Amino acid sequence: MNKPEVYVTRALPPPGIEILKECCNVEVNRSEDAPPKEEIIKKVAGKDGLLCLLTDKIDREVMEAAPKLVVISSYSVGYDHIDVAEATKRGIYVTYTPGVLTDATADFAWALMMSIARRVTEADRYVRGGKWKIAWAPTMLLGAAVYGKTLGILGIGRIGSAVAKRAMGFNMKVLYYDEVRPPKEMEEELNLQYRPLDEVLKESDFVSIHVPLTEKTRHLINYERLKLMKPTAFLINTARGAVVDTKGLARALEEGVIAGAALDVHEREPIEPNNPLLKLEDKCILAPHIASGTVEARSKMAEIAATNLIAVLKGEMPPNLVNPDAQKVRPLSKAKRIP
Ligand code: GLV
C-alpha cells in the first residue's frame, strides 16, 4: 500500500503535521490565509484525507472533486462549515476536536463578561487617549457588578457547563436554556436552573451563548428577543456569529435596549468595515474569534485533529466522530489506507 495522501488547509501548531507525516504524504497550504475554494477543490483531487479549519467551507462541490476522500478532520469543535449530511451520504467520515478547547473557551467567555461589565477595554482607551486627568474619582468609569448576579447560559454542552462551573466561584444564580435537559445530577452539581429561552433572557444580568450554529439557532438572538432582556444586561457570544442578528444587536445597543455586548464571533469574519458594531466601541467589545486561542488548546487541537484523521485511515474508530452513520455507507475497514 502506498502512503495515503492528505491535504491540510493551513499550517498547524506542532505536533499536528508531524503526526500526519509519520504515515501519510502531507501537502500543507503555506499561505497564512484560508485557501480560496477553487484551491481546495484543486488540492483535494486524489487525496484520501482532508484536514481543514472552520474557515474552509467543505460542501458537496468540494467532496465531488475528491472521489478518493474518506475523512474530513476539522481543527475545530464547531462543524457548521462542513456539509455533514453530504459527507455521510458519501461514506466520508467527519471528525472534530471537542473537549480540548472547552476550558480555554470558557475562560475567554468569562474574560469578555468581566471586561464588558467592568469596562476594561474602555478604561484602557481612556488612559491611552489622555483622558485620565483626575487621579481618582468616586464615579469614574463605573461598571456593573458580576459577583452575585444572574448568569443565563444558552446551550449547556461542554463549554456552557464549563462557564457555569466558573460562575460558582462568583456566587451567581445560573439559569440555562437548552433543547435537551442534562441529567438532574449535573443540574445539581453545577447549581443550574432550567428556564424556557424567553425566561432566561428576561431574568439574566449576563447571557452567554454556547449553542452550535444550526438552521434552528441562526439568528436565535434577534432584536425582538433582545427586547426581552433587562436594559442593564449584557450579551456574550463565543459560539458562532450567526446565532446573533448583528443588525438587531446594533439597534438594541444604540437604543439602550441592553447595556452592552462582548463578541468573539461574528456573522462575517473578518468583520466587514461597515459593521455597525464597530462604531459602538463603548458598548461592545469585539474580538477576532480567539476564544480557544491558548498555546495549550491550539496544540492539543492539532494533535487530536491529526489523530482523528489517522485513525480513519487505519480503519479504526476515530476518537471524535461527528457522523457515525458514515459507517453504513463505508465501513471503517473500507476506509483503511494505512496497513
Ligand atoms: C472554534 O470556534 C471552534 O469551533 O473550534
Side-chain angles (χ1 to χ4, degrees), residues 54 75-79 97 101 238-240 265 289 292 301:
L54 57 89
Y75 177 78
S76 63
V77 66
Y79 45 81
T97 62
L101 46 70
T238 51
R240 282 293 180 268
V265 287
H289 202 152
S292 70
M301 286 165 69

Short mmCIF file of all heavy atoms in Angstrom, two decimals, residues 54 75-79 97 101 238-240 265 289 292 301, ligand 1:
data_model
loop_
_atom_site.label_atom_id
_atom_site.label_comp_id
_atom_site.label_asym_id
_atom_site.label_seq_id
_atom_site.Cartn_x
_atom_site.Cartn_y
_atom_site.Cartn_z
N LEU A 54 -12.16 25.90 10.47
CA LEU A 54 -13.56 26.36 10.45
C LEU A 54 -13.83 27.41 9.39
O LEU A 54 -14.98 27.71 9.08
CB LEU A 54 -13.96 26.87 11.84
CG LEU A 54 -13.14 27.99 12.48
CD1 LEU A 54 -13.66 29.35 12.11
CD2 LEU A 54 -13.13 27.83 13.98
N TYR A 75 -10.20 20.99 12.42
CA TYR A 75 -9.42 21.54 13.54
C TYR A 75 -10.32 22.54 14.26
O TYR A 75 -10.11 23.74 14.25
CB TYR A 75 -8.18 22.20 12.94
CG TYR A 75 -7.25 22.91 13.90
CD1 TYR A 75 -6.36 22.20 14.69
CD2 TYR A 75 -7.21 24.30 13.97
CE1 TYR A 75 -5.48 22.87 15.54
CE2 TYR A 75 -6.34 24.97 14.82
CZ TYR A 75 -5.49 24.24 15.60
OH TYR A 75 -4.62 24.89 16.45
N SER A 76 -11.41 22.02 14.84
CA SER A 76 -12.39 22.90 15.49
C SER A 76 -13.39 22.04 16.25
O SER A 76 -13.53 20.84 15.96
CB SER A 76 -13.17 23.72 14.45
OG SER A 76 -13.90 22.86 13.61
N VAL A 77 -14.11 22.67 17.16
CA VAL A 77 -15.20 21.94 17.81
C VAL A 77 -16.50 22.13 17.02
O VAL A 77 -17.34 21.25 16.97
CB VAL A 77 -15.35 22.33 19.31
CG1 VAL A 77 -15.77 23.77 19.47
CG2 VAL A 77 -16.33 21.41 20.01
N GLY A 78 -16.65 23.30 16.39
CA GLY A 78 -17.83 23.53 15.56
C GLY A 78 -17.62 22.89 14.19
O GLY A 78 -16.50 22.82 13.70
N TYR A 79 -18.71 22.41 13.59
CA TYR A 79 -18.55 21.83 12.24
C TYR A 79 -19.65 22.30 11.30
O TYR A 79 -20.01 21.61 10.35
CB TYR A 79 -18.46 20.29 12.30
CG TYR A 79 -19.48 19.62 13.21
CD1 TYR A 79 -20.78 19.39 12.79
CD2 TYR A 79 -19.11 19.22 14.48
CE1 TYR A 79 -21.70 18.78 13.62
CE2 TYR A 79 -20.03 18.62 15.34
CZ TYR A 79 -21.31 18.40 14.90
OH TYR A 79 -22.23 17.81 15.73
N THR A 97 -12.75 18.39 17.12
CA THR A 97 -11.82 18.39 18.28
C THR A 97 -12.49 18.91 19.56
O THR A 97 -12.07 19.93 20.11
CB THR A 97 -10.58 19.26 17.98
OG1 THR A 97 -11.03 20.62 17.77
CG2 THR A 97 -9.81 18.80 16.78
N LEU A 101 -10.62 22.25 23.94
CA LEU A 101 -10.69 23.71 23.94
C LEU A 101 -11.78 24.24 24.87
O LEU A 101 -12.05 25.44 24.91
CB LEU A 101 -10.88 24.24 22.51
CG LEU A 101 -11.93 23.58 21.62
CD1 LEU A 101 -13.32 23.88 22.07
CD2 LEU A 101 -11.73 23.98 20.19
N THR A 238 -19.45 33.58 22.33
CA THR A 238 -18.20 32.91 21.93
C THR A 238 -18.53 31.68 21.10
O THR A 238 -17.68 30.79 20.95
CB THR A 238 -17.37 32.49 23.17
OG1 THR A 238 -18.23 31.74 24.04
CG2 THR A 238 -16.77 33.66 23.90
N ALA A 239 -19.77 31.59 20.59
CA ALA A 239 -20.19 30.37 19.88
C ALA A 239 -20.01 30.55 18.36
O ALA A 239 -18.93 30.24 17.83
CB ALA A 239 -21.62 30.03 20.25
N ARG A 240 -21.03 31.05 17.70
CA ARG A 240 -20.93 31.36 16.28
C ARG A 240 -21.65 32.68 16.04
O ARG A 240 -22.73 32.92 16.59
CB ARG A 240 -21.57 30.26 15.41
CG ARG A 240 -20.70 29.01 15.23
CD ARG A 240 -19.45 29.29 14.41
NE ARG A 240 -18.61 28.12 14.22
CZ ARG A 240 -17.59 27.77 15.01
NH1 ARG A 240 -17.29 28.52 16.06
NH2 ARG A 240 -16.87 26.70 14.74
N VAL A 265 -17.20 36.18 18.13
CA VAL A 265 -17.56 35.60 16.83
C VAL A 265 -18.55 36.53 16.13
O VAL A 265 -19.33 37.22 16.78
CB VAL A 265 -18.16 34.19 17.02
CG1 VAL A 265 -17.08 33.19 17.40
CG2 VAL A 265 -19.25 34.20 18.09
N HIS A 289 -12.35 36.13 17.02
CA HIS A 289 -12.55 34.68 17.09
C HIS A 289 -11.31 33.97 17.67
O HIS A 289 -10.68 33.15 17.00
CB HIS A 289 -12.90 34.12 15.70
CG HIS A 289 -13.62 32.81 15.76
ND1 HIS A 289 -14.51 32.38 14.80
CD2 HIS A 289 -13.58 31.81 16.67
CE1 HIS A 289 -14.98 31.19 15.11
NE2 HIS A 289 -14.43 30.81 16.26
N SER A 292 -10.64 30.00 21.73
CA SER A 292 -9.87 28.77 22.02
C SER A 292 -8.36 29.01 21.92
O SER A 292 -7.57 28.07 22.01
CB SER A 292 -10.27 27.65 21.05
OG SER A 292 -9.81 27.94 19.74
N MET A 301 -5.49 20.68 19.95
CA MET A 301 -6.42 20.56 18.82
C MET A 301 -5.71 19.98 17.60
O MET A 301 -6.26 19.16 16.86
CB MET A 301 -7.02 21.93 18.46
CG MET A 301 -8.05 22.43 19.44
SD MET A 301 -8.40 24.19 19.24
CE MET A 301 -9.24 24.22 17.65
C1 GLV B 1 -13.92 27.46 17.29
O1 GLV B 1 -14.76 28.30 17.06
C2 GLV B 1 -14.12 26.06 17.06
O2 GLV B 1 -15.19 25.66 16.57
O3 GLV B 1 -13.20 25.30 17.35
#
